[in-house]
Amino acid sequence: MTKFCLMAAVSLALTAGAAQAQSAAGAEEYARACATCHGLTGHGDGPLAEYMSVAVPDLTTISAGNNGEFPLLDIIHVIDGRTGVRGHGSMMPVWGDRFEASAASEAGDYGAEVMVRGRILALATFLEAIQQQ
C-alpha cells in the first residue's frame, strides 16, 4: 500500500509540474503573441487595440458568453486560423502559419507541426485559466 501511495504522490507531483509548465508556457506565449492587442490581462485593452478597425474582444469572458463552458477546441481553431475559422473578422493573424514558419527551419515539417500545436494548446489553456465567471 505504501508503494502505491508513493507512486500516486509522484504521479500527482509530475502532473502538477507539467500543468505549471504548460501554464507558464501559455502565459509567455500570450505575452509575446496576444497582449499587444488583447492586453496583458486579456480585457481587449492592449496598446494596439485603439488602432484596430474592429473591436478587440475581452478574452476573459469567453466562458461567460458560452453558458459557462470554455470551448477549448473552438478556441484552438480560432488561434490556429489555418482551418478557415478566423477570429474577430480578418484582423487576427493566422498564428498557425506564423508559428509554423518560425519552427520549420529548426524542426522540419513534422516537428514544426508538433511545435505549432503545442504553442496553440498552451495559449488556449492559458485563456481557459483566465476566464472570469
Side-chain angles (χ1 to χ4, degrees):
M1 184 69 166
T2 306
K3 186 176 181 179
F4 175 76
C5 291
L6 178 61
M7 288 175 54
V10 168
S11 177
L12 183 61
L14 290 174
T15 302
Q20 287 176 338
Q22 177 76 5
S23 179
E28 288 176 27
E29 198 69 62
Y30 178 86
R32 271 193 307 266
C34 311
T36 55
C37 295
H38 293 283
L40 285 174
T41 58
H43 292 289
D45 58 353
L48 296 182
E50 67 181 284
Y51 302 108
M52 295 295 173
S53 60
V54 295
V56 178
D58 184 337
L59 299 178
T60 66
T61 61
I62 296 169
S63 291
N66 196 50
N67 297 319
E69 297 291 325
F70 187 79
L72 184 64
L73 185 58
D74 292 340
I75 297 303
I76 287 170
H77 286 292
V78 168
I79 294 168
D80 186 314
R82 296 178 294 174
T83 60
V85 178
R86 297 296 310 269
H88 19 276
S90 61
M91 294 297 293
M92 188 164 143
V94 177
W95 288 108
D97 285 342
R98 288 186 179 198
F99 292 160
E100 186 177 26
S102 69
S105 64
E106 63 187 78
D109 290 340
Y110 178 75
E113 186 60 26
V114 170
M115 292 173 70
V116 168
R117 291 178 185 215
R119 290 175 77 177
I120 291 170
L121 180 60
L123 273 169
T125 56
F126 172 76
L127 293 178
E128 184 175 25
I130 65 169
Q131 294 306 293
Q132 298 174 349
Q133 299 302 326

